[in-house]
Amino acid sequence: MNVSIVIPLYNQLKFTKLCLESLSAFGRGGAEIILVDNGSSDGTAEFLASCSDMTVISNPQNLGCVAAWNQGVKASHGEWVIILNNDVIVPSQWLDGLLQFAKQEKLDIVSPAIREGEYSYDIEMYAREYISKMQNVKRLGIADGICFMVHRRVFDKIGFFDEHFRIGQFEDVDFFRRAKMAGFRPGITGRSLIHHFGSITQKAIRKDKVVSPYEEENRAYYRQKWRLNRWKRFWERRQEKWDHFVWRIIEKTFYGHTLKEKWQGGRLRYY
């Protein structure tokens, strides 16, 4: 089996169903799907009992995003492993686009283009028009934690995700930094597009206040781990903002889209 898709779950059954329906209808191909449920209490467990063609891992409590990712990766068999949020909808050809881009550019981690916000459009029609214009557009050196495909050689060399990060936040950028330092190459392509509703699980956890503040702890751990003092953070943020500014201007000017878009306030915004 060439590709495995790992999806961590914590409640939000409505979005999980939409995600799996789109994968089954359009974008699964022959991929193995591994669902890791972090102790959901909204009927997710009962729904997963009907997913007989997928691998289900059930945790009695919320172990956090990183632990779920690692459980899924360890249970996977694919040469490529896709880490995917459950508040995502995929159109047809999204998987082929990722694989083609990785092969063409000889990359080790790849992410698709992403449209975020309200889902009020025909994603199949939109993706066809989008990819016809954006198929040769790329951002090299970065990936996106919402959806990223990792070649197994990356895990073999640098190990799994760092479980010192609690619940969620910073675990993806930590992994990308480790991979780049080990010589692996990430990239984002306009050859593949997905829809992302927008951190649905994270927002619900913050609202419910069921766990102690984890974002600040994760931020502090990340900064300490990589010895990111104020000046280093300043220069990294400055470089990141400049890179995104240049990408955004070039993509919007010459192609009419960008690799990250968001429907907000009644119009499409470009990032």
Side-chain angles (χ1 to χ4, degrees), residues 13 37 40-51:
L13 177 57
D37 181 25
S40 297
S41 57
D42 65 343
T44 293
E46 291 76 8
F47 169 73
L48 295 181
S50 67
C51 300

Side-chain angles (χ1 to χ4, degrees), residues 1-4 28 30-33 77-80:
M1 190 170 292
N2 195 39
V3 178
S4 300
R28 178 176 180 176
E32 169 189 45
I33 295 181
H77 302 89
E79 179 183 8
W80 289 94

Side-chain angles (χ1 to χ4, degrees), residues 34-67:
I34 301 170
L35 306 169
V36 185
D37 181 25
N38 264 332
S40 297
S41 57
D42 65 343
T44 293
E46 291 76 8
F47 169 73
L48 295 181
S50 67
C51 300
S52 57
D53 60 339
M54 305 175 191
T55 299
V56 176
I57 298 173
S58 300
N59 295 319
Q61 59 188 12
N62 187 1
L63 301 181
C65 187
V66 181

